[in-house]
Amino acid sequence: MSKSNHLADRIQQLQPSAIRELLKHSKMPGVISLAGGIPSGELFDKEGLAQATQSVLEESFGDAFQYGLTEGNVELREQLVGLCKARGITTSVDRLLITSGSQQALDLLIRSLANPGDVFVVERPTYLATLQILSLTEATVQSVGSDADGMIVDELEALLATTRIKAVYIVPTFGNPSGTTLSAERRQKLVKLAAKHDFVIIEDDPYGAISFNEERQKTLFQTAAEMGDHESVVYTSTFSKILAPGLRVGWIVLPEWMQQKVAIVKQATDLHANSFTQSLVAAYLKTERLDPQIALIREAYKQKCLALSKFLKAELDEHISFNQPQGGMFLWAQFRYEFDTTQWLQQTLEKGVVYVPGEFFFSDRADKKTLRFSYATATEEQLFEAVKRLKSAL
Ligand SMILES: Cc1ncc(COP(=O)(O)O)c(C=O)c1O
C-alpha cells in the first residue's frame, strides 16, 4: 500500500507546476521560447568570472572551500553595503544576510513571518514562485489589482479597512510578470499604510538595476527610511539577473527586529550560502566590472524590448495591447477581447513559439486574456519570427 498519505497535508495538496507541463515541449528544436524567465547567457561576463574564479583559487582558497558564517562572507557583505548605498539604501554589514538567491530570501522571510491564517497580500499578477512559498505555509493569500503604475495601493487601503494583514509582498520595479513600476506617490502611500496598519513590506528587487533609462524610483526601503521608518520594509535583491543566476547569491537587508531570527531560520535551513560562489562574487566586485556589465545588460535588453514591442505593434496591434516596459526582462500583454491564452498555447506551440499564459501569475481572479513574454534570451531575428508565428497562430 502506498504510504503517500504520510505526506503532510499541505504537501499532499501541492500540484506540479502547470507551466512546466505546458512548456515541456518548448525545448524542441525550432521552437522559439519567449517563456523562460532566465537572463541571456550570452551576456555573462565570461572573462570577468574566470578572473574572479582564478583569484579565489589563489587568494581565498581557505574561505572558499570551508564552512562560513550563516550571515555570509564578511568581505562580500562589506561590498554590498557600498552597492546598496549606490541604490539609495543605507545599511551596515550586520543587517545584511547572504542567501542562496532571492528565492531563498523570500522563503526565509515568509517562513519567519507567517502564522497559520495570517494574511499576506500580493499583487495581481505576481511572481509565481512566491505563491508557491506561500502555499507551503498556512498563511492566507489576498490579492490587490495593479495597473500601469504598479499595485493599486488604494485597493490595499480598502482591504485594510476590513482585514488585518501581516505583510505585503511586492516587486515594485520592473515587476515579474507585469513589467510595471510602482509610482513614487504610491510608494509613499504604501509605506505610510505599513506604519499606520502595522504590516511588513517585503520588497523584492531583482530587476531594479536593469533600467532602460536614467530615471530611478527610490526603493521602498529608501522611501521608508526618509520618512523615519526603519522597521516596515525588508529588502531583497540578487546577483542572478545582473551577473549570473547559477551562482545562487542574493541578499536581504533586514530591519533590526528581524536580523537575529531570520539568521537562525537560515542556519536551520542550510547553515550558510555557498562559500565558493560568495567568495567569487566578492572577488568579482573587486574587479569593478559589475557596473559596465550592468550597462551592457541594460542596453541589450532595451534593444530586444524595443524590437519585440515594435513587432507586436506592427503585427498584432488589433489583437494585443501592452504597457511599454522601462526595464527588466518581461513584457506583459493582454488580448483586447475575451481570449484564453492557456488554450492558445497549443496552437502557438504547433507554429513553434511559446510564452507563459498569464493565468498562472494570479492567486485568484485570473485574467485569462493576459500573457507574459520574456525578451531576454531571444535574438532580434527570433523575436521577429516569433511574432510572425504568433500572428499565424491566430
Ligand atoms: C520577482 C522575482 N523574485 C525572485 C526571483 C528569484 O531569483 P534568484 O533566486 O535567482 O535570485 C526571481 C527570478 O526569476 C524573480 O523574478
Side-chain angles (χ1 to χ4, degrees), residues 109-115 118 120 166-167 200 202 257-258:
L109 292 171
I110 289 170
R111 277 197 290 141
S112 299
L113 291 169
N115 281 322
D118 278 353
F120 279 65
K166 179 55 109 25
V200 182
I202 302 175
W257 61 272
M258 289 185 98

Side-chain angles (χ1 to χ4, degrees), residues 117-121 140-142 155-166 197 199:
D118 278 353
V119 175
F120 279 65
V121 173
T140 302
V141 180
Q142 298 248 16
E155 257 188 47
L156 175 69
E157 190 174 27
L159 179 66
L160 283 161
T162 56
T163 312
R164 167 130 195 86
I165 70 169
K166 179 55 109 25
H197 295 270
F199 61 82

Side-chain angles (χ1 to χ4, degrees), residues 215-270:
E215 267 172 47
R216 288 276 185 289
Q217 287 290 358
K218 287 177 188 169
T219 59
L220 291 166
F221 190 98
Q222 183 183 358
T223 307
E226 286 177 358
M227 293 181 189
D229 179 352
H230 301 280
E231 305 241 293
S232 297
V233 183
V234 50
Y235 175 91
T236 174
S237 189
T238 175
F239 287 99
S240 287
K241 317 294 175 172
I242 53 174
L243 189 55
L247 297 165
R248 309 306 304 132
V249 179
W251 71 93
I252 314 180
V253 184
L254 292 157
E256 190 184 2
W257 61 272
M258 289 185 98
Q259 186 181 316
Q260 193 192 27
K261 301 291 188 197
V262 177
I264 298 171
V265 179
K266 165 86 181 152
Q267 191 165 44
T269 305
D270 63 354

Side-chain angles (χ1 to χ4, degrees), residues 329-341:
M329 292 176 18
F330 304 108
L331 187 147
W332 178 250
Q334 50 274 315
F335 273 80
R336 293 185 186 276
Y337 40 83
E338 284 312 307
F339 197 84
D340 186 332
T341 57

Side-chain angles (χ1 to χ4, degrees), residues 31-44:
V31 173
I32 302 173
S33 176
L34 306 182
I38 63 173
S40 168
E42 280 168 18
L43 297 175
F44 292 168

